[in-house]
């Protein structure tokens, strides 16, 4: 039997050449290509045509704690509407691209517990290796 383990400390998120820390509990990084690689249609006779999708955008979502030391800096970068590189790396995967932008600043709230801040980032040259 083979046992596989995951250690979140082996994951790094780098935005604009700076490491991000202070992630929230639970799912703290998610990523997805924005469109399928192709679209297909099958006619009544069973013949299928495939159209390759050339959309290479993807979305990375980061969930930070409201106490993250990077929160203020990331909010500033989001408001600047500037492009930046983003890379998420684990021992087995590398996701991101060299041109990305924040979709918007995160929504927020305060309570008697530590709250989360969710950043949605659109990557224009998305790669998932």
């Amino acid at each position: 039997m083979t046992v596989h383990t995951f250690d979140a400390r082996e994951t790094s998120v780098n935005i604009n050449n700076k490491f991000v820390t202070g992630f929230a509990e639970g799912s703290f990084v998610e990523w997805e290509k924005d469109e399928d690689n192709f679209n297909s249609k099958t006619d009544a006779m069973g013949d299928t045509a495939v159209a390759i999708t050339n959309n290479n955008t993807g979305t990375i979502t980061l969930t930070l704690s409201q106490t993250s030391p990077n929160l203020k800096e990331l909010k500033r970068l989001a408001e600047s509407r500037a492009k930046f590189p983003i890379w998420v790396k684990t021992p087995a995967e590398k996701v991101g691209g060299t041109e990305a932008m924040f979709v918007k600043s995160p929504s927020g709230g305060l309570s008697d517990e530590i709250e989360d801040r969710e950043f949605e980032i659109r990557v224009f040259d998305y790669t998932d290796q």
Side-chain angles (χ1 to χ4, degrees):
M1 173 180 15
T2 303
V3 176
H4 300 279
T5 60
F6 169 75
D7 185 346
R9 292 175 294 187
E10 293 179 347
T11 300
S12 68
V13 177
N14 189 302
I15 293 179
N16 213 19
N17 301 313
K18 295 180 182 169
F19 287 101
V20 178
T21 60
F23 292 98
E25 184 178 45
S27 293
F28 59 96
V29 181
E30 296 176 359
W31 58 84
E32 181 177 24
K33 191 170 189 291
D34 288 343
E35 288 191 19
D36 293 339
N37 291 330
F38 64 89
N39 292 303
S40 64
K41 292 237 180 193
T42 303
D43 67 19
M45 301 302 284
D47 294 325
T48 302
V50 176
I52 302 299
T53 304
N54 292 308
N55 181 343
N56 292 322
T57 61
T59 302
I60 297 175
T61 304
L62 304 178
T63 306
L64 300 181
S65 166
Q66 76 182 59
T67 60
S68 169
N70 299 105
L71 190 61
K72 194 174 196 175
E73 182 180 359
L74 293 180
K75 283 181 152 185
R76 219 175 300 138
L77 184 57
E79 289 302 313
S80 76
R81 300 180 181 178
K83 290 182 192 170
F84 54 86
I86 179 170
W87 294 104
V88 178
K89 295 180 185 176
T90 72
E93 298 174 287
K94 179 180 178 183
V95 179
T98 61
E99 290 195 354
M101 293 175 72
F102 288 98
V103 174
K104 61 183 175 180
S105 291
S107 59
L110 300 172
S111 74
D112 60 352
E113 295 182 5
I114 301 299
E115 296 293 323
D116 298 343
R117 302 291 184 261
E118 191 173 276
F119 288 91
E120 186 176 344
I121 301 161
R122 185 75 26 83
V123 184
F124 305 113
D125 58 346
Y126 181 83
T127 182
D128 184 352
Q129 304 168 359

